[in-house]
Amino acid sequence: MATDLRALLEDLRAQAAARVDATAATLDQLTHDREGSNDDDEHDPEGVTLSSEWSRLTGLAEAAASELRQVDEAIARMAAGTYGICANCGRPIPAGRLEVRPFAVHCVSCAEKLGR
């Protein structure tokens, strides 16, 4: 089971890192494409505005970076021998929870109490 969870975490890490890279590249391209432009895209009836696209991409980038950070922290806990132990109560996190949310830090009971 630990090997399966490690493989799952590594897969999730690769996916999150790819999303971080992709959104960063898209944001860079958006910035490059708009350099020196005075276009009033906020009133352009032809599609998405620059600010809307920027907000959407920034949100995606932040979500991917957050997931990458959580997965890295879970991998570090695995290496330290504390993976699968609730950070709040110290009891084991149920295997079912770890399968669904492999970077979980809290058991179900503590997560509910903490609103996570």
Side-chain angles (χ1 to χ4, degrees):
M1 164 108 130
T3 304
D4 293 342
L5 287 172
R6 175 69 183 211
L8 179 58
L9 284 169
E10 292 293 343
D11 187 47
L12 287 173
R13 186 186 193 295
Q15 291 174 31
R19 285 195 315 276
V20 166
D21 292 344
T23 53
T26 304
L27 281 167
D28 286 346
Q29 185 63 44
L30 185 63
T31 301
H32 179 272
D33 290 348
R34 301 301 295 186
E35 281 179 359
S37 177
N38 291 355
D39 293 346
D40 182 12
D41 79 336
E42 297 304 315
H43 297 96
D44 182 1
E46 302 290 326
V48 179
T49 63
L50 177 62
S51 60
S52 294
E53 185 65 3
W54 189 269
S55 293
R56 183 185 75 81
L57 289 170
T58 301
L60 291 172
E62 289 171 359
S66 175
E67 184 176 339
L68 182 59
R69 189 172 36 260
Q70 290 177 66
V71 171
D72 283 343
E73 289 168 358
I75 291 170
R77 286 192 306 276
M78 214 174 243
T82 59
Y83 180 79
I85 305 298
C86 179
N88 190 53
C89 69
R91 285 180 271 169
I93 299 172
R97 177 162 171 77
L98 291 173
E99 288 173 14
V100 172
R101 189 172 175 82
F103 42 82
V105 177
H106 301 101
C107 65
V108 176
S109 177
C110 288
E112 287 173 349
K113 288 177 195 171
L114 297 169
R116 299 182 186 195

